[in-house]
Amino acid sequence: MSEGRTRVEMVVATIRQRIAGRSLTPGARLPSVRGLAATLKLSTSTIVDAYERLVAEGAILARPGSGFYVANQAAPFALAEAGPKLDRAVDPFWISRQSLEAGEADLKPGCGWLPPSWLPEDGMRRGLRTLARADGPALADYGSPLGLPQLRQLISRRMGERGVEASPDQIMLADSGTQAIDLLCRFLLEPGDTVLVDDPCYFNFHALLRAHRAKIVGVPYTASGPDIELFAQVVADERPRLYITNSAIHNPTGATLSPVTAHRVLKLADQFDLTIIEDDIFADFEYTPAPRLAAFDGLERVIHIGSFSKTLSASARCGFVVAKPEWIDGLTDLKIATSFGGGQLTAELVLNVLSDGSYRKHMETLRHRLSRAMSEVSARLNNLGITPWLEPQAGMFLWCRLPTASMRLMWRAPHWERGSFWLPETHSACRNRQRISCASTCPRHSIRASLKSWAIYWQEEDDGRWAVGDRARCPAKRL
């Protein structure tokens, strides 16, 4: 039996392989449960479980009193489904698909989440064991639309540590930070409304706002927050309905909002009736809490959102919205309309892990580990002529300046096939920039290996500039 594979999984995989190879044709009768168990020297319960899984996925059919048969209409093999879809334009949706479909062996130096080995796996397993012993309602019932009261109370206390005062009744749980922003866009926007974003910003903001048919306007982001003069000009000219930003650890730059810039942004928001969504999903990566717009504003014009996907697990997603009571009431109605009850099972799991004293120890270790990784990756990047735009105070991203504007990381289908995933940035401020994750660019996945696997070669042109080519056209200076 293969390492890490159960006996049931082994049987399922064997039958799938025989069906795919047409040694078991559509309509063919499978061996009886007892017969296959005797042949494979396994228990009958193992074969029953395997057959039931295959029935559930539609690969085989159960005929009472007769046995099990291969489904008559086996799904045709589609070559396009065998690998990533490479014929789409490079847009936010394409980027998300490629990153989410990447295999474990693929290099992802631009990845926006931590590798599994960096997350609190032991704490998650303890939480799952505790949840398995819970009463029936926790495992089977719909949750409250606002979300698990105990978790909202814990989030309220955690928010207070960052200077944001909010009662549990001002907090609504969501399935993720992305769902939280989606609900807010549904609640606050009409098609054609203008939304202000940072330039650069998290690329999925563009995808989400495009889905809501909003007009997107970007303002350059500096080391201390948005360029306040341009911000004022754009707000006066465009009259945006929303401004979406990260204030603590900005994605992708790693910059931190300064108190002076925060006050000026809030003053302009009040002057032009602007609502601000403050995306704070990287909060637990900080050593010292940075200024929060929600703390200065008192949740009058600012809506604060958070998530635990970056520090706990992207598989057990849980986010939250913090806003003034009248907005929470309307958002709760909208959540009922779009998803009915809350995700109680995930909320219980997150509560168990956060309440465990090991979570704080995990975060302390993780912050130190990221700090060391950032120093190491920054040094290796400098050796390649790639310089970070700034040295972040915390977090996992380095926003890097490429040697010149003419050096571009080029996206073509073969780059994906070579097993290296980089995040292309397409905003106006990103034309010679690249986000690099210090956690994903570890020693065994070195930057040099990532670039070589992507088949990028640099060569010096006659005018002294640098260009990017591939193996065929740029045989000169290799990394």
Side-chain angles (χ1 to χ4, degrees):
M1 185 172 63
S2 300
E3 184 179 354
R5 177 178 286 187
T6 67
R7 291 179 173 86
V8 173
E9 289 170 343
M10 181 192 70
V11 176
V12 169
T14 300
I15 295 174
R16 282 197 195 121
Q17 187 176 18
R18 293 190 65 190
I19 293 174
R22 296 299 192 261
S23 59
L24 282 173
T25 58
R29 188 176 187 274
L30 272 68
S32 68
V33 169
R34 292 183 182 276
L36 188 58
T39 299
L40 299 178
K41 295 182 173 55
L42 298 173
S43 68
T44 55
S45 62
T46 296
I47 306 303
V48 168
D49 286 347
Y51 278 5
E52 286 180 349
R53 288 193 190 185
L54 290 163
V55 169
E57 68 184 40
I60 66 174
L61 302 173
R63 295 178 184 171
S66 178
F68 295 89
Y69 294 81
V70 178
N72 287 326
Q73 294 182 345
F77 176 73
L79 182 61
E81 301 300 325
K85 298 175 178 62
L86 302 172
D87 57 345
R88 292 184 54 146
V90 178
D91 60 19
F93 299 106
W94 185 92
I95 296 166
S96 296
R97 285 194 182 203
Q98 303 292 25
S99 60
L100 292 169
E101 292 174 1
E104 292 183 10
D106 292 321
L107 304 181
K108 297 183 281 287
C111 188
W113 56 89
L114 293 172
S117 61
W118 291 55
L119 294 171
E121 185 176 301
D122 290 342
M124 292 293 290
R125 292 185 186 280
R126 283 194 299 272
L128 287 167
R129 287 195 293 268
T130 300
L131 193 55
R133 296 190 296 269
D135 294 336
L139 300 175
D141 279 355
Y142 286 109
S144 158
L146 267 180
L148 188 67
Q150 300 95 313
L151 180 55
R152 290 188 288 112
Q153 189 166 9
L154 178 60
I155 292 171
S156 175
R157 292 199 299 269
R158 286 165 53 89
M159 295 291 295
E161 295 173 1
R162 302 184 183 104
V164 181
E165 296 183 7
S167 70
D169 291 339
Q170 290 179 263
I171 299 170
M172 183 188 77
L173 300 186
D175 290 341
S176 64
T178 300
Q179 192 208 27
I181 297 178
D182 179 55
L183 287 171
L184 289 167
C185 288
R186 292 172 185 263
F187 184 63
L188 296 168
L189 291 180
E190 295 290 339
D193 282 350
T194 298
V195 178
L196 197 61
V197 297
D198 300 321
D199 188 2
C201 70
Y202 171 43
F203 70 91
N204 204 48
F205 287 166
H206 282 256
L208 185 56
L209 292 171
R210 185 188 302 179
H212 285 280
R213 292 178 287 175
K215 177 184 176 183
I216 305 170
V217 178
V219 171
Y221 207 79
T222 74
S224 59
D227 184 312
I228 202 64
E229 301 303 327
L230 290 176
F231 186 94
Q233 180 182 332
V234 170
V235 170
D237 293 344
E238 300 287 344
R239 300 298 174 106
R241 179 71 180 91
L242 289 179
Y243 170 44
I244 305 180
T245 187
N246 316 110
S247 57
I249 300 175
H250 185 260
N251 182 8
T253 67
T256 300
L257 182 70
S258 73
V260 172
T261 303
H263 281 294
R264 295 186 67 183
V265 166
L266 290 172
K267 186 175 180 180
L268 288 165
D270 186 60
Q271 180 181 349
F272 292 99
D273 194 24
L274 175 65
T275 298
I276 300 173
I277 298 176
E278 185 175 44
D279 181 1
D280 199 21
I281 63 172
F282 297 102
D284 282 354
F285 290 109
E286 291 181 292
Y287 283 97
T288 303
R292 258 63 175 186
L293 291 167
F296 291 136
D297 173 70
L299 298 172
E300 284 299 315
R301 291 196 171 276
V302 177
I303 302 170
H304 195 86
I305 72 165
S307 167
F308 302 103
S309 299
K310 305 300 182 185
T311 56
L312 285 183
S313 169
S315 294
R317 305 192 71 190
C318 181
F320 58 89
V321 180
V322 187
K324 54 188 178 183
E326 56 267 33
W327 283 1
I328 289 293
D329 191 51
L331 285 166
T332 303
D333 289 343
L334 185 57
K335 182 181 175 185
I336 292 171
T338 55
S339 60
F340 202 61
Q344 182 160 316
L345 201 62
T346 300
E348 291 275 8
L349 176 59
V350 170
L351 176 64
N352 283 328
V353 179
L354 293 180
S355 302
D356 187 337
S358 66
Y359 178 72
R360 287 186 180 272
K361 295 178 182 177
H362 160 72
M363 287 310 305
E364 289 175 5
T365 301
L366 179 59
R367 283 189 286 267
H368 289 306
R369 187 176 182 183
L370 282 170
S371 179
R372 291 194 302 270
M374 189 170 290
S375 297
E376 293 171 6
V377 171
S378 181
R380 298 208 311 271
L381 286 168
N382 275 299
N383 290 337
L384 296 173
I386 301 174
T387 57
W389 180 60
L390 56 76
E391 294 291 338
Q393 297 178 19
M396 59 180 173
F397 299 135
L398 285 171
W399 183 236
C400 294
R401 180 183 293 110
L402 304 177
T404 71
S406 66
M407 177 193 159
R408 304 293 303 278
L409 295 180
M410 299 162 59
W411 275 84
R412 294 200 321 250
H415 298 157
W416 177 258
E417 291 172 341
R418 292 181 180 112
S420 182
F421 179 79
W422 290 76
L423 174 67
E425 299 288 357
T426 56
H427 318 302
S428 62
C430 309
R431 288 177 183 155
N432 65 326
R433 305 271 196 256
Q434 176 70 40
R435 186 184 81 179
I436 294 178
S437 168
C438 298
S440 298
T441 315
C442 50
R444 64 188 181 90
H445 287 166
S446 70
I447 297 171
R448 288 180 181 270
S450 299
L451 290 173
K452 284 182 178 180
S453 70
W454 199 19
I456 292 182
Y457 293 80
W458 302 350
Q459 72 177 49
E460 195 167 6
E461 296 180 338
D462 293 338
D463 60 0
R465 295 181 305 156
W466 288 81
V468 177
D470 57 26
R471 191 186 305 265
R473 291 185 300 155
C474 299
K477 194 166 183 175
R478 295 188 177 186
L479 291 180

